[in-house]
Amino acid sequence: MINANDPSLKSWVEVPKNSDFPIQNLPFGIFKTEYLTPGAGVAIGDYIVDLTYLHENGFLDGLGLSSGVFNQQYLNDFIGLGKEVTSKVRNRIAELLEANNGELRDNKPASELAIIHKEEAEMLMPIKVQNYTDFYSSIEHATNVGTMFRDPDNALLPNWKHIPVGYHGRASSIIPSGVNIHRPKGQTKAPDADKPSFGPSKRLDFELETAFITCKENGLGNSISTKEAEDYIFGFVLFNDWSARDVQVWEYVPLGPFLAKNFASSISPWIVTMDALEPFRVPTPKQEPAVLPYLEFKGNKNFDINLEVYLQPDGGEENLICKSNFKYMYWNVNQQLAHHSVNGCNIQVGDMYASGTISGSTEDSYGSMLELAWKGTKPIKLSDGSERKFIEDGDTVIMKGHAEKDGVRIGFGEVRSKVLPAK
């Protein structure tokens, strides 16, 4: 067992019941305050542990950390030290926060400076995203989309069960929770129109996804096996892949998404480590036909993570509109990374790989408005009496996620974004 994952651990820092951030989680992020410039922190309960302070004052000595590694705008240099080092740091933080350890707790000047309430902080982008890839790995989602736009009897394209389909997206427009977006504009073409028109998207949508972040380089020309893949994966965030469906329908042939998705993607600010998710592994759904040898794997590679989406109208209350789970993914992250690199593509520290929309088999588990409202034919009713076919101006979309087992809840916090009118 990883020491920090011990379900019996308790912390001297107060952790509210059902908090996403018990001592067994300890996710990493970047924060700033009125008095502190951006730097690395770890979440516990309603507090943030200032890693810059701990490092500069000797609490993290002997762990192979370079000077100033936490006093930076991004976590790239830290996660680039490798999982052997980052796992030791997480274990050491758990040791410092453990209920019976007075090393930090009883040093009042140190604990008062190192432990900061979340209300005093602003969360920032946790990493500098070097490259971004979006996969298409939920068989339920792919089947729903294929049914809507093609032949229901041949919803999946011939390659779908043979390769983890994906495309390269725009890294620069990935933003943290709390940053509002403007409705995108682009070309669209109505089915009965002779030519396209230009203007704000009328079919703005979300996509419920997770994303993993890599912490190791393989070098150009080298591939990564499914067995090696987890050495390259530091952790996960929640990911909202904003999509302009009307723009997408017109532009995606022949090369796939472009302006329909590159305007913004929103992530949760805390990176939950792969180490913390270790207890929540579950089998990958049976894959038929059998995959090619380079995509074969052994062991449980999916994760049982409950996912929720809420829609909040301007000035209104949050409406739960989707309950899904990461365990539904047909292609697991080991296979995604192995396929991505099998041609020698060079994986870099800080790359982000989104899962694709995570839909389940029931209508309430569909991970996009496109599916929930079935291309606008089944509008969703909200608590204020209004209906939604797609996302309207003033709406806030909130995604949450957590895993729970043996009395331990490991959560992601949330990714929250409000849609403003087009500029």
Side-chain angles (χ1 to χ4, degrees), residues 74-122:
Y74 300 107
L75 287 167
N76 294 50
D77 285 355
F78 169 61
I79 68 175
L81 295 173
K83 291 181 70 173
E84 184 176 350
V85 172
T86 58
S87 294
K88 288 179 180 177
V89 171
R90 180 170 168 269
N91 282 336
R92 172 57 175 158
I93 296 167
E95 181 181 39
L96 286 169
L97 297 177
E98 199 272 325
N100 295 319
N101 188 341
E103 188 177 350
L104 178 61
R105 179 195 63 202
D106 298 340
N107 184 338
K108 293 302 182 185
S111 63
E112 288 177 1
L113 290 172
I115 310 295
I116 298 162
H117 197 279
K118 68 178 184 180
E119 296 299 328
E120 300 176 29
E122 177 185 350

Side-chain angles (χ1 to χ4, degrees), residues 285-298:
K286 185 173 179 60
Q287 296 178 336
E288 291 181 330
V291 298
L292 291 174
Y294 79 95
L295 290 171
E296 292 176 351
F297 64 94
K298 294 181 180 180

Side-chain angles (χ1 to χ4, degrees), residues 167-170 242 247-248 251-252 255-264:
Y167 73 95
H168 296 294
R170 184 73 180 176
W242 292 103
V247 176
Q248 184 176 358
E251 74 175 4
Y252 84 101
L255 296 180
F258 185 27
L259 300 188
K261 289 176 176 283
N262 71 358
F263 59 95

Side-chain angles (χ1 to χ4, degrees), residues 85-161:
V85 172
T86 58
S87 294
K88 288 179 180 177
V89 171
R90 180 170 168 269
N91 282 336
R92 172 57 175 158
I93 296 167
E95 181 181 39
L96 286 169
L97 297 177
E98 199 272 325
N100 295 319
N101 188 341
E103 188 177 350
L104 178 61
R105 179 195 63 202
D106 298 340
N107 184 338
K108 293 302 182 185
S111 63
E112 288 177 1
L113 290 172
I115 310 295
I116 298 162
H117 197 279
K118 68 178 184 180
E119 296 299 328
E120 300 176 29
E122 177 185 350
M123 298 305 300
L124 307 172
M125 275 293 292
I127 60 163
K128 174 70 172 176
V129 181
Q130 302 293 347
N131 304 283
Y132 158 52
T133 297
D134 190 22
F135 285 98
Y136 188 52
S137 292
S138 161
I139 193 169
E140 291 85 0
H141 174 66
T143 300
N144 287 339
V145 172
T147 298
M148 271 186 262
F149 291 100
R150 290 191 301 274
D151 176 7
D153 294 329
N154 297 284
L156 296 179
L157 292 171
N159 65 351
W160 200 91
K161 287 190 173 182

Side-chain angles (χ1 to χ4, degrees), residues 51-321:
L51 296 182
T52 301
Y53 181 88
L54 292 186
H55 188 208
E56 291 179 349
N57 288 275
F59 290 97
L60 303 178
D61 286 353
L63 298 178
L65 299 171
S66 54
S67 177
V69 70
F70 293 122
N71 192 21
Q72 299 191 29
Q73 190 172 352
Y74 300 107
L75 287 167
N76 294 50
D77 285 355
F78 169 61
I79 68 175
L81 295 173
K83 291 181 70 173
E84 184 176 350
V85 172
T86 58
S87 294
K88 288 179 180 177
V89 171
R90 180 170 168 269
N91 282 336
R92 172 57 175 158
I93 296 167
E95 181 181 39
L96 286 169
L97 297 177
E98 199 272 325
N100 295 319
N101 188 341
E103 188 177 350
L104 178 61
R105 179 195 63 202
D106 298 340
N107 184 338
K108 293 302 182 185
S111 63
E112 288 177 1
L113 290 172
I115 310 295
I116 298 162
H117 197 279
K118 68 178 184 180
E119 296 299 328
E120 300 176 29
E122 177 185 350
M123 298 305 300
L124 307 172
M125 275 293 292
I127 60 163
K128 174 70 172 176
V129 181
Q130 302 293 347
N131 304 283
Y132 158 52
T133 297
D134 190 22
F135 285 98
Y136 188 52
S137 292
S138 161
I139 193 169
E140 291 85 0
H141 174 66
T143 300
N144 287 339
V145 172
T147 298
M148 271 186 262
F149 291 100
R150 290 191 301 274
D151 176 7
D153 294 329
N154 297 284
L156 296 179
L157 292 171
N159 65 351
W160 200 91
K161 287 190 173 182
H162 294 277
I163 59 173
V165 175
Y167 73 95
H168 296 294
R170 184 73 180 176
S172 66
S173 56
I174 299 175
I175 53 178
S177 176
V179 177
N180 298 330
I181 69 165
H182 285 271
R183 179 174 297 273
K185 295 180 286 190
Q187 278 194 32
T188 61
K189 182 180 178 298
D192 57 351
D194 294 329
K195 58 184 179 180
S197 59
F198 175 81
S201 169
K202 296 181 177 66
R203 294 193 163 196
L204 181 61
D205 199 358
F206 65 83
E207 290 190 341
L208 170 63
E209 307 189 20
T210 67
F212 68 84
I213 297 159
T214 49
C215 57
K216 184 179 178 181
E217 299 188 355
N218 61 329
L220 187 66
N222 300 311
S223 59
I224 300 167
S225 69
T226 55
K227 184 177 180 180
E228 299 167 319
E230 291 175 21
D231 294 336
Y232 289 78
I233 300 174
F234 175 71
F236 295 79
V237 293
L238 301 178
F239 192 95
N240 183 351
D241 181 21
W242 292 103
S243 302
R245 299 299 186 189
D246 44 359
V247 176
Q248 184 176 358
V249 167
W250 174 235
E251 74 175 4
Y252 84 101
V253 177
L255 296 180
F258 185 27
L259 300 188
K261 289 176 176 283
N262 71 358
F263 59 95
S265 302
S266 304
I267 66 168
S268 53
W270 292 109
I271 304 175
V272 176
T273 63
M274 198 168 209
D275 284 351
L277 295 174
E278 189 69 28
F280 306 98
R281 290 180 179 271
V282 292
T284 297
K286 185 173 179 60
Q287 296 178 336
E288 291 181 330
V291 298
L292 291 174
Y294 79 95
L295 290 171
E296 292 176 351
F297 64 94
K298 294 181 180 180
N300 294 338
K301 301 303 180 185
N302 279 37
F303 297 91
D304 185 1
I305 302 172
N306 299 300
L307 301 168
E308 297 177 331
V309 182
Y310 296 80
L311 193 156
Q312 182 180 23
D314 196 16
E317 55 186 46
E318 297 179 8
N319 294 256
L320 176 62
I321 59 172

